[in-house]
Amino acid sequence: MNELDVVGVRVEMPSNQPIVLLREVGGDRYLPIWIGPGEATAIAFAQQGMTPARPLTHDLFKDVLEAVGQTLTEVRITDLREGVFYAELVFAGGVEVSARPSDAIALALRTGTPIYGSDGVLDDAGIAIPDEQEDEVEKFREFLDQISPEDFGTSNQ
C-alpha cells in the first residue's frame, strides 16, 4: 500500500464529470478517480474547512463514529475492476467495511485519517508525472483554490 494525498477535485470537461485527484506520497504517480457531484462537494467542503449549518452525510458519519467511540484508522483504495474503484474503511480493532472511494476519501478528510492505494490500483490507473511537469500540477492546485463546492452542482447522473 502507498500513502496518498488528496490534491483536490475538479470538473472534467467536456463530460462535466467531477474528479478527485490523489497523489502518491514520496512518488510521482497521481490517481484520478471520477466521482459524483455530491461527493465532489463533500470533499471540497472538507478541504476548504467548511462546515455546513446541518451535517452532510459524511459529517454525520464522523459524528456517529465519535459518539460510539470508534476510530477510523485508514482508508484503502484496494481494487479497480471493469472501470470501478473499490475502497475499504479500516477501523480500530481491525474491522473493515467496503466503501466507495469517494465516500471513504470524504470521511478520511474529516477525520484526519490516512489514505492508501494498493500497488495494483496505482499500477493500473496511476499516472506518472515527472518533476518537469510538476508546474502543471501546481496550475491545477491554483485552479482548485479558485473554485468553490457550489461549482460542482448537485444533480445526480
Side-chain angles (χ1 to χ4, degrees):
M1 288 284 182
N2 302 286
E3 188 169 1
L4 304 171
D5 281 335
V6 179
V7 175
V9 290
R10 66 169 289 215
V11 176
E12 178 75 323
M13 295 301 187
S15 67
N16 207 30
Q17 180 70 38
I19 293 175
V20 61
L21 184 63
L22 305 166
R23 184 181 69 74
E24 183 180 25
V25 173
D28 65 352
R29 292 183 290 185
Y30 289 77
L31 183 63
I33 300 177
W34 280 257
I35 61 176
E39 292 77 19
T41 300
I43 291 169
F45 271 14
Q47 280 199 300
Q48 294 176 7
M50 296 177 66
T51 304
R54 298 292 301 144
L56 298 175
T57 303
H58 304 95
D59 301 304
L60 175 62
F61 192 17
K62 174 188 164 276
D63 293 345
V64 168
L65 288 174
E66 290 172 359
V68 298
Q70 277 294 322
T71 302
L72 181 63
T73 59
E74 62 185 62
V75 162
R76 298 178 187 157
I77 300 173
T78 57
D79 205 1
L80 173 61
R81 292 181 296 221
E82 298 178 19
V84 177
F85 287 92
Y86 293 81
E88 293 175 347
L89 303 173
V90 182
F91 296 94
V95 174
E96 298 178 9
V97 176
S98 180
R100 295 184 308 177
S102 55
D103 291 326
I105 292 166
L107 186 58
L109 288 171
R110 283 164 174 74
T111 59
T113 303
I115 301 167
Y116 297 94
S118 74
D119 291 328
V121 169
L122 286 165
D123 290 344
D124 291 346
I127 301 167
I129 300 178
D131 290 339
E132 61 268 10
Q133 292 181 3
E134 192 69 29
D135 62 331
E136 291 298 319
V137 174
E138 187 56 37
K139 288 179 186 175
F140 178 65
R141 287 183 181 136
E142 289 173 11
F143 166 78
L144 293 173
D145 290 340
Q146 303 299 318
I147 60 173
S148 70
E150 292 78 23
D151 293 332
F152 296 105
T154 57
S155 64
N156 290 330
Q157 296 185 19

